[in-house]
Amino acid sequence: MTVNIRPARPADVRAIRALVEPYAQQRILLAKEWVGYYEAVQEFLVAEVSADDDGPAAGPADPATPAVVGCGALHVMWEDLAEIRTLAVDPASRGRRVGHQLVEGLLDRARDLGLRRVFCLTFEVEFFRKHGFEEIDSTPVSLDVYTELLRSHDDGVAEFLDLARVKPNTLGNSRMLLEL
């Protein structure tokens, strides 16, 4: 299977939401409103395969149209820090390194932006460990940065800060960090 990783476009939002929905129903990923996906589309990369590749059974109706089989976003949180979020792969494409390619693409994007650290909140500890992430207990920012981040309305930032208001959404998840 040949996978192409590329920046997401607004036309990909329906596919992204369809990928995330089953994981959100299982409480593995947070559900988002349609508007949230459109507002964040520039943060996303998508993985696509052509119908003639050995891709998922549910490929595109038009064989010339590639199918989106994975997605992931890089959300900048501070001048040196971002979060990988909303990483999802079609179950039919799991085990084919689609997620690994998405993470590598997101880490390349972080490096291009001059970031030094990337955070994730995940149940997939071993997967992220293969990319160099390590589990953390604390919030690795200065008090001044912590205070500024408290002003954010973003649930991902609240998860990074380990705030009590997001605990019902994050029970069982591991907080991980990668130093680039």
Side-chain angles (χ1 to χ4, degrees):
M1 174 171 77
T2 304
V3 178
N4 178 42
I5 305 295
R6 64 166 175 78
R9 299 183 283 257
D12 297 316
V13 167
R14 290 191 183 283
I16 291 169
R17 188 165 193 249
L19 287 166
V20 172
E21 189 63 28
Y23 294 106
Q25 289 175 359
Q26 297 171 49
R27 296 181 47 102
I28 294 171
L29 293 176
L30 292 177
K32 291 182 180 167
E33 300 295 330
W34 282 105
V35 69
Y37 288 109
Y38 283 107
E39 288 175 341
V41 73
Q42 72 280 357
E43 296 180 355
F44 277 88
L45 295 179
V46 295
E48 62 183 10
V49 295
S50 298
D52 57 352
D53 288 336
D54 184 26
D62 175 5
T65 304
V68 173
V69 297
C71 64
L74 183 74
H75 179 77
V76 175
M77 298 168 63
W78 201 250
E79 67 183 326
D80 66 338
L81 176 67
E83 177 190 8
I84 288 180
R85 57 171 61 170
T86 321
L87 185 65
V89 174
D90 184 309
S93 295
R94 290 191 70 170
R96 296 180 176 175
R97 303 199 50 79
V98 173
H100 290 285
Q101 291 178 60
L102 283 163
V103 169
E104 287 305 317
L106 294 167
L107 293 177
D108 287 345
R109 184 178 266 188
R111 288 181 191 96
D112 289 346
L113 290 170
L115 302 173
R116 292 185 309 109
R117 302 175 299 164
V118 179
F119 168 78
C120 70
L121 184 71
T122 185
F123 290 107
E124 301 293 337
V125 172
E126 290 307 314
F127 172 85
F128 280 97
R129 193 170 279 139
K130 290 177 184 174
H131 292 276
F133 285 80
E134 296 179 5
E135 290 184 77
I136 59 171
D137 293 323
S138 62
T139 302
V141 293
S142 68
L143 182 57
D144 290 345
V145 172
Y146 186 94
T147 301
E148 284 296 321
L149 290 175
L150 279 174
R151 298 171 192 223
S152 174
H153 298 288
D154 186 277
D155 283 341
V157 173
E159 292 166 346
F160 173 74
L161 298 176
D162 205 22
L163 299 180
R165 73 175 172 84
V166 294
K167 289 296 184 194
N169 294 327
T170 62
L171 292 177
N173 285 7
S174 293
R175 302 168 77 242
M176 301 185 80
L177 189 73
L178 171 66
E179 301 274 344
L180 296 174

